[in-house]
Amino acid sequence: MTSDTSESKLASSPLTVFPATVHDAEGIHRLVNHWAAQGQMLPRTLAETYENLRDFFVIRDGDNVIACGALHIMWADMAELKSLAVDPDLQSAGHGSALVAACVEEGRRLGMQQLFALSYRPGFFERLGWKQADVMSLPRKVWNECYRCPKFPGCDEIALIYDLN
Ligand SMILES: CC(C)(COP(=O)(O)OP(=O)(O)OC[C@H]1O[C@@H](n2cnc3c(N)ncnc32)[C@H](O)[C@@H]1OP(=O)(O)O)[C@@H](O)C(=O)NCCC(=O)NCCS
């Protein structure tokens, strides 16, 4: 993979977080679908990964994507943190927290008021300052992908919000 000189370090964590490039798409796709197969997140096609590539941040080991996460703008005041995935062999080493920090920083840069996430790991997010919320309090627009979920309409994910104000 060639290095992209426009990449910038976005997280204050010692782990370096980069905006994704096209070279990362297959690695992101592999990681997300690994966890999707375990029922932890929605699967993504490679085409969707490319279409949403500018939402993604990655952490790499050499050329390999070892962790990824995305911030997807929903509306002027709301963005979703999604597709947060860390290599199964590299859990609990700070990668997930570094990616959440990068997404929060990006939300601030964009002028967002609030971020939300849907997760089975509420404790992980709460330790980073996120708060649990009633999923029904989120705007209906946040459900636009749910029809693709095998669990729809019996969603058992926990909604979490992060206030940027
Ligand atoms: C959820 C997920 C992204 C967290 O990523 P991670 O890299 O393991 O997260 P971190 O290492 O930053 O934090 C995880 C834990 O490790 C601890 N930790 C972080 N750095 C550490 C270190 N250097 N040494 C020891 N422990 C550490 C944190 O305190 C945290 O504790 P907690 O689990 O009690 O909250 C990861 O488990 C994952 O890929 N899960 C599957 C997909 C998923 O559920 N995604 C979320 C959907 S939104």
Side-chain angles (χ1 to χ4, degrees):
M1 184 172 73
T2 55
S3 68
D4 179 350
T5 52
S6 69
E7 287 175 342
S8 59
K9 188 175 176 181
L10 289 173
S12 54
S13 160
L15 296 165
T16 307
V17 177
F18 293 103
T21 74
V22 287
H23 306 291
D24 300 314
E26 291 192 7
I28 293 170
H29 180 245
R30 188 188 64 249
L31 262 186
V32 167
N33 287 306
H34 167 84
W35 289 112
Q38 322 271 325
Q40 297 296 306
M41 56 176 52
L42 278 178
R44 303 261 162 222
T45 65
L46 191 54
E48 286 169 327
T49 306
Y50 279 114
E51 283 165 12
N52 294 289
L53 197 63
R54 277 182 288 193
D55 288 348
F56 273 93
F57 296 102
V58 293
I59 299 175
R60 305 185 190 104
D61 178 10
D63 291 349
N64 296 323
V65 175
I66 54 171
C68 65
L71 188 71
H72 186 73
I73 299 171
M74 306 293 299
W75 207 252
D77 55 354
M78 167 93 48
E80 179 178 8
L81 191 159
K82 62 203 294 188
S83 298
L84 182 65
V86 175
D87 186 302
D89 295 331
L90 296 169
Q91 298 284 304
S92 295
H95 299 82
S97 302
L99 285 158
V100 172
C103 289
V104 166
E105 190 178 321
E106 176 70 349
R108 281 192 211 288
R109 186 190 72 76
L110 287 163
M112 290 288 154
Q113 293 172 19
Q114 202 172 61
L115 310 184
F116 78 95
L118 296 168
S119 178
Y120 297 109
R121 289 282 304 273
F124 166 74
F125 283 95
E126 285 173 314
R127 264 179 278 278
L128 298 174
W130 293 61
K131 306 259 182 274
Q132 285 195 33
D134 179 354
V135 82
M136 299 313 287
S137 70
L138 297 175
R140 273 198 203 158
K141 189 162 173 53
V142 311
W143 300 111
N144 69 351
E145 281 195 320
C146 293
Y147 69 92
R148 297 196 305 123
C149 176
K151 295 182 180 173
F152 182 79
C155 177
D156 54 356
E157 287 191 300
I158 310 281
L160 294 126
I161 56 170
Y162 190 92
D163 213 331
L164 291 164
N165 290 323

